[in-house]
Amino acid sequence: MKRNLCDGAIVSATAIVLALSAIGAADAAPRGKPNQIRYEYVPPKDPAHQPIHDQMKQGRALEHLRELLSPLRLPYPLKLKVASCDGVPNAWYGDEAITVCYELLAEIQKNAPKQDLPIGISRADTMLGPALDVFLHETGHAVFHMLDIPVLGREEDAADQFSAYVMLRLGKEEARKMILGAAYGYNVQMPQGPQVTVPVDAFSDEHSLPAQRAYNVLCMAYGADKKMFADIVEKDLLPKKRAESCEYEYEDLTFAMTKLIGPHIDRRVARKFHEVWARTVTARRARLARP
Ligand SMILES: [Zn+2]
């Protein structure tokens, strides 16, 4: 469940609202009910983390995440929490709560570049993207567990896929920023350069290597929208060879999300916040349904 990278969850307001509505096919009778998300800004133990706490609280970061996730029909409440973790930069799901450590958020801040990146994402996006990704990755674990969703393959990869899918349901511009920001967050965890050396036991980790996680999220994005993400292939951020299969990889993800998670999305709640997104996904689903 644990993840080495996390985010600063300072997620901007309306852009994020209710991306989940877009997943809701929701014709099966679901257990649980919507509006089950709770949140808590636990005061940090380390005074150095106070600004992160204050920023998030002022920006209503957890409130926005709650809104984003409120259409999920859950059998019991799920709490989103930021808290101190005795110096360990981590995030996890357990005991009906997602905990994201201030230490992890601080690390994300530290890793941000000094300036905006040439690919068109701002310094802020390089913090917001990884931050949102951490919360959504952990939400993936929570959803699989709370809703008894079967996971074929590695759960850590599935949680990454869940996160990428939800990010891609945001408004186009916002989705691009968050996806590229998240990819940046993974990339900076790797040694830099075309040839890298890592300890061999890094391959035994339950998570994919950071570079793989970056390529995977970019592949989902390219598979979802080749136009909007054309430049990531042109600039070789995503190698052409992998890019060829991304459309099919994304279709598989869409199928799984629609079939397994869709029935647990409350369309009424989702629609209330996100009518436009509901229309978008209906059109997308119709396109996918064509032979
Ligand atoms: Zn995880």
Side-chain angles (χ1 to χ4, degrees):
M1 306 269 178
K2 294 193 180 169
R3 188 173 190 279
N4 296 325
L5 213 273
C6 212
D7 77 280
I10 308 133
V11 176
S12 79
T14 46
I16 275 207
V17 175
L18 281 318
L20 276 181
S21 62
I23 304 172
D27 293 323
R31 308 181 289 147
K33 54 182 187 178
N35 301 313
Q36 291 276 49
I37 307 297
R38 311 286 182 265
Y39 65 92
E40 184 180 3
Y41 299 93
V42 181
K45 292 181 192 163
D46 182 345
H49 296 148
Q50 192 65 41
I52 298 177
H53 165 275
D54 295 349
Q55 245 180 351
M56 288 185 74
K57 211 167 172 181
Q58 280 158 20
R60 308 187 77 238
L62 296 184
E63 288 87 334
H64 294 314
L65 279 166
R66 179 187 58 177
E67 255 181 315
L68 170 71
L69 300 171
S70 63
L72 272 174
R73 299 184 65 104
L74 299 174
Y76 45 89
L78 170 67
K79 187 187 262 192
L80 309 175
K81 214 161 64 162
V82 281
S84 290
C85 303
D86 298 320
V88 183
N90 209 346
W92 66 89
Y93 160 70
D95 299 327
E96 300 166 20
I98 288 167
T99 304
V100 174
C101 306
Y102 288 114
E103 287 86 343
L104 184 50
L105 299 173
E107 199 168 276
I108 288 172
Q109 278 196 348
K110 197 186 74 192
N111 287 340
K114 295 219 169 6
Q115 292 161 345
D116 297 348
L117 298 180
I119 189 134
I121 58 167
S122 67
R123 182 174 184 277
D125 299 327
T126 65
M127 295 185 273
L128 296 176
L132 176 60
D133 186 38
V134 169
F135 274 100
L136 293 179
H137 171 102
E138 298 305 336
T139 302
H141 286 305
V143 163
F144 303 152
H145 179 255
M146 292 169 84
L147 299 174
D148 279 332
I149 304 291
V151 177
L152 285 174
R154 305 206 304 169
E155 182 169 330
E156 292 303 336
D157 290 339
D160 283 350
Q161 299 273 69
F162 177 94
S163 174
Y165 193 82
V166 174
M167 284 196 276
L168 286 165
R169 308 269 73 69
L170 300 168
K172 276 195 170 206
E173 211 176 299
E174 188 70 12
R176 182 181 157 89
K177 289 174 179 176
M178 294 301 96
I179 290 281
L180 293 178
Y184 171 88
Y186 288 122
N187 269 326
V188 292
Q189 294 177 66
M190 288 294 290
Q192 301 300 303
Q195 304 268 340
V196 300
T197 304
V198 295
V200 72
D201 69 359
F203 293 95
S204 71
D205 200 88
E206 61 187 324
H207 304 86
S208 293
L209 287 172
Q212 293 176 296
R213 298 175 81 176
Y215 285 132
N216 288 342
V217 70
L218 291 176
C219 183
M220 286 309 112
Y222 184 69
D225 193 332
K226 284 184 185 170
K227 264 192 195 159
M228 184 166 58
F229 290 97
D231 58 336
I232 65 176
V233 180
E234 284 155 18
K235 293 183 172 124
D236 212 27
L237 297 176
L238 178 67
K240 284 194 179 58
K241 198 157 181 289
R242 173 69 183 274
E244 283 167 14
S245 67
C246 293
E247 184 181 348
Y248 309 108
E249 291 189 48
Y250 179 72
E251 266 180 35
D252 286 344
L253 175 58
T254 301
F255 179 55
M257 289 294 288
T258 307
K259 183 148 181 140
L260 297 173
I261 312 290
H264 303 282
I265 303 294
D266 188 299
R267 282 193 293 180
R268 193 180 51 82
V269 174
R271 210 164 27 234
K272 198 168 98 193
F273 296 96
H274 228 235
E275 277 208 83
V276 176
W277 276 106
R279 282 201 298 275
T280 306
V281 81
T282 303
R284 171 165 283 164
R285 196 171 298 114
R287 278 201 301 281
L288 283 173
R290 285 204 292 266

